[in-house]
Amino acid sequence: MTLPTSFNSHLHRPSLFKMALEVRTFFEAGSFALSYPWLQAAPKGDGHPVLVLPGFLASDFSTKLLRTFLNSRNYKAYGWSLGRNMGRHSDPLTACGPAIIRRLQDIHQWHAEKVTVIGWSLGGIYARELARVHPEMVRQVVSMGSPFCNNQRANHATKIFEKTSGYKLSDMCPKLIKNMPTPPPVPSTSFYSKSDGITAWQCCLEQESKFTQNIEVVCSHMGYGHHPAVMWALADRLAQKDGEWQLFNPKFIEKLIYK
């Protein structure tokens, strides 16, 4: 397989120390609960549908807090309803398999409007590729700790993914691997953390433009789906009118939180 020019073989998985720090996700979940009243001041949206895709080895249970918050902001938030993400709904040709595509199609048909797709880790890769396959159905994409560029092996999940999904990354279509770092044809935001203990943060960086942006937060990989800083910025991203997407511009105290 020919590697894309952006592939960086020198990137390594996060250190074992960073991986051990993933235990802070429990404290981050607690901070979400404590911050929930404050988070109710975050912008509300127009009620459009949102599809939330879980990370590898996770299920819709892992995105429950995130979807609860989105519903409180006036969105119609949906889980993927495909059980635990063992990588078996992955496809070596399109990254996301037929079942994920059908889920997007169903939600789009129910609401007769475009769907925002949010993906956590592997779910973010699915989200980006869904937008590439069906841009007419996707309003915007948000990925959280998703290794879509530089080196998809610079994480602690690849070997397990290859065992549970039934194929190796080398089986993936070379064109798919080459195009994966390219932004999808819809507005795209990528959340990343330099203290991520599962995925090398350099692998989560979007090619920035007027329709794409990277937002750095300080959280664990397991905490993206309930960290208050992610929730606040996410509400800002989703509240924008369709076709009027703008870059996230931290104001006042927000500048102390977002890099």
Side-chain angles (χ1 to χ4, degrees), residues 41-248:
K44 283 193 173 183
D46 58 6
H48 76 267
V50 180
L51 171 60
V52 184
L53 306 175
F56 180 53
L57 299 181
S59 66
D60 284 334
F61 179 78
S62 70
T63 66
K64 177 65 175 177
L65 293 179
L66 171 55
R67 287 181 285 117
T68 296
F69 173 69
L70 293 176
N71 286 328
S72 79
R73 298 299 86 206
N74 196 39
Y75 299 102
K76 304 297 187 298
Y78 294 88
W80 78 333
S81 297
L82 295 174
R84 190 170 296 279
N85 186 356
M86 304 299 290
R88 296 183 185 124
H89 293 291
S90 302
D91 188 294
L93 297 179
T94 62
C96 52
I100 306 175
I101 294 175
R102 281 196 301 271
R103 182 61 169 162
L104 171 65
Q105 292 172 331
D106 287 344
I107 296 172
H108 178 263
Q109 184 176 14
W110 295 337
H111 292 271
E113 60 179 317
K114 292 183 178 180
V115 182
T116 287
V117 186
I118 300 173
W120 190 346
S121 195
L122 176 60
I125 293 177
Y126 292 157
R128 292 167 61 84
E129 297 310 314
L130 274 178
R132 219 182 299 279
V133 174
H134 285 294
E136 76 283 0
M137 297 184 188
V138 179
R139 178 163 168 164
Q140 66 173 304
V141 166
V142 178
S143 59
M144 305 184 299
S146 302
F148 53 79
C149 67
N150 288 319
N151 184 349
Q152 286 82 21
R153 286 189 173 275
N155 60 75
H156 289 286
T158 298
K159 290 183 179 180
I160 302 174
F161 170 82
E162 291 181 332
K163 289 182 179 180
T164 60
S165 68
Y167 71 89
K168 297 183 179 296
L169 291 186
S170 57
D171 296 331
M172 295 179 72
C173 174
K175 183 178 180 181
L176 172 63
I177 292 291
K178 181 179 180 180
N179 291 339
M180 198 174 288
T182 303
V186 299
S188 175
T189 302
S190 176
F191 286 93
Y192 72 98
S193 171
K194 291 184 178 179
S195 59
D196 189 318
I198 303 299
T199 297
W201 64 270
Q202 297 93 330
C203 301
C204 308
L205 299 180
E206 183 65 276
Q207 299 176 23
E208 294 209 6
S209 70
K210 63 180 181 178
F211 294 116
T212 61
Q213 186 175 21
N214 298 299
I215 299 179
E216 182 182 352
V217 291
V218 181
C219 73
S220 67
H221 185 86
M222 305 298 290
Y224 282 111
H226 46 253
H227 195 286
V230 177
M231 298 301 99
W232 184 269
L234 190 58
D236 176 271
R237 302 292 74 213
L238 270 61
Q240 300 175 95
K241 294 181 180 179
D242 190 19
E244 297 182 15
W245 192 90
Q246 299 290 326
L247 297 176
F248 178 56

